[in-house]
Amino acid sequence: MNIKAFKNNLSGSITVPGSKSHTIRALILASLAEGKSYIRNPLPSADCLSTAKAVPLIGADINLNLSEESQPGTCWEVTGAGKNIHIPTDVVDVGNSGSLLYFLSPILANLDGWSVFTGDNSLKSRPITHVVDALNQLGAFSETTVPNHNGCPFVVKGPIKPGVVSTPGEVSSQYISGLMMSGILLNGELLIKLSNPKETPYLTMTQNWLEKVGVPVWISDDFKEIKVKGPVQINAFDEVIPSDWEAVAFPLIAAILTDSEIVIENIDGSGTQGDDAIVDILKSIGAEITWDKENCKLFVKGGKKTSDKIGRLSTENCKDKTLKVKMSSFPDAICALAVVACFTEGTTILEDAEVCRRKETDRIKVLKTELSKLGADIEETEDSLIIHGHSPLNADGSENKNFILHGGTVESYDDHRMAMSLSCLGLALPKNEELLIKDAECCSVSFPKFYEVMNNIGANFI
């Protein structure tokens, strides 16, 4: 499916789906628990549904409470496998979900027998040898099935044993979370030593979930050591999934780049999602955003709807008049921030972002490629993007002749965050310019019905 985006303004209220990161953790922990758990406000995205399809293979039972139209309901019931957890009864196809792959493989490495993992073509390009090495350190036998290929298909045979595992940590936080969850089934203490931990808010999220279900976890202040002690028989739970900050980013940036005024509802103020840092980053360049934490709402104004009726974004108040953002704690925001930087007067450096090369696609490379097609001035380094942006308006509200972004045709690379970010960019293009985003349906991975939801507040994607 291709989507066309062109100049439009937004108004009204929007609610984004529940968090993918929270939903997948909840599904897996509920599958390990004894009894029936209730997961409310889950994200019915492709990755989460892949998880719901996978965990019955190890003994859990899931009721998605489907509607008459076969759409997942707003409360999912999971009867956990508990002490009856077993080796998967089939190959575990994780689809496009790196989270599912990296979470579940360390957990199943506790079991005496073979587990086989595969996924779609995009997933097969994501690295796995760091997981293989970590599990083998703990006594498993694991390897990729294709010689000289760092990716799925991949097999693992347990059981692993308590002890110490040393691993870099910068490739992804997801397998570290998987190792932490594997500690539930271990008969003893697991010590994880990380030489270069990244995406640390997600490790804190995993810690919070484990502690919520009674699993002892300790993390050092620098995140270089993590201890988990098992075994722990966890009980069923009833939890509400908070809104997804990774999804909040898209209506948020669309509004500040256009003459818009919107309210984003059901905002998660718990601090467990690192992506909420985007609010202060955008405010530092002049975005008009008010976060009502008591009522869980973001009030967002852009362009002519702002207090000064201009809404110009600029790095002039940043140190050295340059916006520098370390992306390692919330790398999934790089697509949205790169788009905003193209409309911001001054230089933006999205740095410490090497992990972004190992997502659904090499996001550093493809952002440079696709945004350059539209006239953006971007440099690429090994671990950063340097964007020399221009606001469409000068400080006095007059037209900025240096702003030269234009429409065209761009690729999504089947990457949901690329598709949504580029679609939002199209809304801010000059009048009579149009952007065609190819293979845009991939947004269903994290934000089902994104285009319909955005159209309800005026995006007019077609």
Side-chain angles (χ1 to χ4, degrees):
M1 176 181 78
N2 297 335
I3 284 289
K4 289 183 179 180
F6 44 92
K7 187 173 181 60
N8 273 295
N9 301 317
L10 310 178
S11 63
S13 297
I14 183 172
T15 300
V16 304
S19 163
K20 180 179 75 166
S21 299
H22 280 288
T23 299
I24 294 178
R25 284 168 173 80
L27 280 170
I28 289 178
L29 291 175
S31 298
L32 299 177
E34 291 283 356
K36 182 180 287 187
S37 295
Y38 298 88
I39 302 173
R40 305 181 190 277
N41 191 41
L43 174 66
S45 71
D47 281 6
C48 297
L49 294 176
S50 290
T51 306
K53 182 180 178 181
V55 291
L57 300 177
I58 63 172
D61 181 71
I62 294 193
N63 179 5
L64 300 181
N65 287 314
L66 299 178
S67 68
E68 292 182 1
E69 295 78 27
S70 296
Q71 296 299 309
T74 58
C75 179
W76 297 354
E77 301 171 9
V78 183
T79 302
K83 62 181 179 295
N84 295 317
I85 184 174
H86 54 68
I87 286 293
T89 53
D90 202 343
V91 173
V92 180
D93 186 343
V94 303
N96 188 248
S97 180
S99 297
L100 175 56
L101 171 67
Y102 294 144
F103 290 173
L104 196 57
S105 53
I107 293 171
L108 297 187
N110 279 282
L111 305 181
D112 186 6
W114 292 95
S115 298
V116 183
F117 293 86
T118 191
D120 63 16
N121 288 334
S122 174
L123 188 284
K124 288 176 182 175
S125 70
R126 299 182 72 169
I128 195 69
T129 54
H130 57 293
V131 181
V132 169
D133 175 69
L135 296 180
N136 288 346
Q137 286 184 52
L138 295 171
F141 177 84
S142 58
E143 64 179 3
T144 59
T145 63
V146 179
N148 303 315
H149 174 60
N150 183 11
C152 284
F154 139 76
V155 296
V156 58
K157 182 181 186 300
I160 57 175
K161 296 177 174 60
V164 180
V165 58
S166 298
T167 186
E170 76 265 14
V171 178
S172 168
S173 68
Q174 292 170 333
Y175 78 107
I176 308 303
S177 286
L179 288 168
M180 292 168 67
M181 287 187 273
S182 76
I184 295 171
L185 302 179
L186 276 175
N187 187 23
E189 185 175 86
L190 174 65
L191 172 59
I192 307 167
K193 291 188 173 183
L194 305 177
S195 59
N196 190 20
K198 301 291 184 181
E199 301 180 294
T200 53
Y202 294 103
L203 301 181
T204 301
M205 182 188 294
T206 302
Q207 178 185 24
N208 290 347
W209 269 102
L210 289 173
E211 291 177 341
K212 190 178 295 185
V213 296
V215 180
V217 181
W218 173 84
I219 300 180
S220 64
D221 291 342
D222 60 5
F223 287 89
K224 289 190 174 182
E225 289 193 352
I226 302 171
K227 294 179 183 178
V228 185
K229 190 171 183 179
V232 178
Q233 181 56 68
I234 62 178
N235 295 319
F237 52 82
D238 187 333
E239 292 289 340
V240 178
I241 301 299
S243 55
D244 190 354
W245 267 101
E246 295 167 2
V248 168
F250 302 110
L252 176 56
I253 68 166
I256 67 169
L257 296 178
T258 55
D259 297 334
S260 299
E261 183 173 1
I262 67 170
V263 180
I264 308 177
E265 308 270 4
N266 193 31
I267 292 297
D268 176 20
S270 68
T272 60
Q273 300 182 60
D275 294 70
D276 61 6
I278 195 171
V279 171
D280 286 338
I281 292 167
L282 296 177
K283 289 173 72 172
S284 75
I285 56 173
E288 193 166 317
I289 305 168
T290 303
W291 186 351
D292 180 352
K293 293 189 177 182
E294 182 177 350
N295 294 300
C296 305
K297 296 181 179 182
L298 278 184
F299 296 87
V300 190
K301 296 180 180 180
K304 295 178 181 178
K305 297 294 184 177
T306 59
S307 300
D308 67 3
K309 310 300 182 185
I310 298 174
R312 181 174 182 264
L313 304 177
S314 169
T315 64
E316 60 191 1
N317 292 323
C318 300
K319 184 179 179 181
D320 299 325
K321 299 189 182 302
T322 299
L323 174 64
K324 292 184 178 181
V325 183
K326 288 188 177 294
M327 301 304 307
S328 57
S329 294
F330 56 112
D332 286 331
I334 193 170
C335 299
L337 288 174
V339 164
V340 171
C342 293
F343 293 83
T344 301
E345 193 67 33
T347 297
T348 297
I349 303 176
L350 306 177
E351 58 189 358
D352 196 14
E354 203 267 337
V355 68
C356 298
R357 293 193 182 276
R358 296 184 294 270
K359 295 293 184 176
E360 283 79 347
T361 186
D362 181 342
R363 286 179 177 157
I364 292 177
K365 178 181 178 181
V366 302
L367 281 166
K368 180 182 186 304
T369 299
E370 300 308 308
L371 295 176
S372 294
K373 289 180 182 178
L374 309 177
D377 183 359
I378 300 184
E379 302 174 53
E380 171 190 356
T381 74
E382 182 178 346
D383 72 341
S384 68
L385 281 174
I386 304 170
I387 304 166
H388 306 286
H390 291 288
S391 169
L393 301 174
N394 293 312
D396 63 1
S398 61
E399 182 180 348
N400 184 359
K401 300 297 184 181
N402 292 318
F403 179 81
I404 59 172
L405 283 187
H406 55 78
T409 299
V410 289
E411 303 284 343
S412 72
Y413 300 85
D414 288 323
D415 183 338
H416 51 128
R417 303 200 196 285
M418 283 292 295
M420 291 186 282
S421 297
L422 292 168
S423 299
C424 293
L425 182 152
L427 300 178
L429 287 174
K431 190 175 181 180
N432 300 321
E433 294 286 346
E434 181 178 275
L435 189 63
L436 176 70
I437 303 96
K438 299 178 71 173
D439 301 318
E441 70 276 8
C442 57
C443 66
S444 65
V445 166
S446 61
F447 199 148
K449 299 185 178 179
F450 170 73
Y451 299 106
E452 294 94 325
V453 172
M454 290 292 289
N455 283 350
N456 287 338
I457 58 171
N460 292 323
F461 294 126
I462 56 175

